Amino acid sequence: DQQVKQNSPSLSVQEGRISILNCDYTNSMFDYFLWYKKYPAEGPTFLISISSIKDKNEDGRFTVFLNKSAKHLSLHIVPSQPGDSAVYFCAASGIRDDKIIFGKGTRLHILP
Amino acid sequence: KAGVTQTPRYLIKTRGQQVTLSCSPISGHRSVSWYQQTPGQGLQFLFEYFSETQRNKGNFPGRFSGRQFSNSRSEMNVSTLELGDSALYLCASSGDLAGGNEQFFGPGTRLTVL
């Protein structure tokens, strides 16, 4: 049973436009959500997170939105840049003493 | 601060053999988690160690085991290797338990089972 789902395996976006990556989850006990970015031959790096008490968190070009009633979160990247081409993983957990569950990832291609 | 290091970076084994992977977390971090990444499956959680105790375990067979030492370094062992164990194995550390916290990942160990 996949508790964290990223239904789009890949996404192509024109440079300068907005990239929107989506993630759905099934476990209502999840309290904390994170996005990681992964380049080939490197480990994932943390991008941004959001706790369940918020519905939005911004960090520069990256904004994460959380819709708890729909069990859905999204990552917005504005404007998209060539260096944003990578695989993006959505992850979720309960607070503290809980394992992190990752989605299968979405490969983002930024087109020149 | 030095990042998370994993050794070896690449490994080739044959079916039936066993393998041990090593992970050194960021200095001061007490939590180490292990993940398996295969094409199309994303990152699948193996286990988390915190202060030498296994705190969480994923849905992997008992052939997969791990341990953590007093200096927080961790090892993962896979016995009786199968072809399906070919994957990128990632280690991640965090200052506190992983749940609710950012994790810092190492570059991974690429294991190929022939």
Side-chain angles (χ1 to χ4, degrees):
Chain A
D1 177 31
Q2 206 182 335
Q3 297 186 64
V4 177
K5 299 177 187 179
Q6 294 178 257
N7 292 320
S8 300
S10 68
L11 176 68
S12 294
V13 175
Q14 209 74 35
E15 182 179 353
R17 307 292 287 268
I18 182 171
S19 295
I20 300 176
L21 294 97
N22 294 303
C23 178
D24 297 296
Y25 62 95
T26 57
N27 189 340
S28 58
M29 298 302 289
F30 286 148
D31 268 326
Y32 193 67
F33 305 88
L34 310 96
W35 286 93
Y36 286 84
K37 172 179 172 180
K38 186 179 185 302
Y39 293 120
E42 294 182 13
T45 54
F46 170 77
L47 261 181
I48 193 168
S49 63
I50 189 167
S51 78
S52 59
I53 62 172
K54 293 186 171 182
D55 54 18
K56 178 182 172 182
N57 189 27
E58 275 184 88
D59 184 2
R61 295 187 299 115
F62 303 92
T63 303
V64 56
F65 295 91
L66 176 62
N67 182 334
K68 283 191 70 179
S69 60
K71 295 192 180 68
H72 177 83
L73 65 154
S74 60
L75 173 68
H76 292 212
I77 307 173
V78 183
S80 300
Q81 298 175 353
D84 296 331
S85 293
V87 177
Y88 289 78
F89 291 99
C90 170
S93 77
I95 292 293
R96 208 166 180 264
D97 198 5
D98 191 16
K99 57 190 176 187
I100 311 280
I101 305 296
F102 280 80
K104 293 187 178 183
T106 295
R107 185 175 298 279
L108 177 63
H109 301 271
I110 303 302
L111 306 171
Chain B
K1 262 186 181 176
V4 177
T5 57
Q6 293 187 244
T7 56
R9 291 294 309 276
Y10 302 92
L11 206 47
I12 299 175
K13 292 284 187 180
T14 56
R15 277 180 299 173
Q17 287 187 307
Q18 70 136 24
V19 67
T20 299
L21 312 182
S22 181
C23 171
S24 291
I26 289 173
S27 177
H29 282 191
R30 293 192 293 163
S31 166
V32 173
S33 297
W34 288 90
Y35 296 88
Q36 181 195 68
Q37 186 187 9
T38 52
Q41 290 300 315
L43 275 69
Q44 294 187 279
F45 173 78
L46 280 154
F47 25 67
E48 178 188 5
Y49 286 87
F50 183 84
S51 295
E52 300 179 68
T53 302
Q54 188 181 88
R55 295 301 293 258
N56 282 298
K57 191 176 190 312
N59 299 323
F60 279 82
R63 301 186 295 108
F64 292 81
S65 63
R67 58 178 175 167
Q68 188 181 33
F69 302 95
S70 59
N71 62 359
S72 293
R73 189 177 70 86
S74 178
E75 287 181 348
M76 190 191 95
N77 185 76
V78 188
S79 62
T80 320
L81 283 166
E82 300 177 359
L83 295 178
D85 296 333
S86 294
L88 180 68
Y89 289 88
L90 291 158
C91 158
S93 76
S94 55
D96 199 350
L97 286 165
N101 285 293
E102 170 190 352
Q103 291 182 295
F104 295 83
F105 282 81
T109 294
R110 172 74 62 185
L111 171 65
T112 302
V113 181
L114 303 175

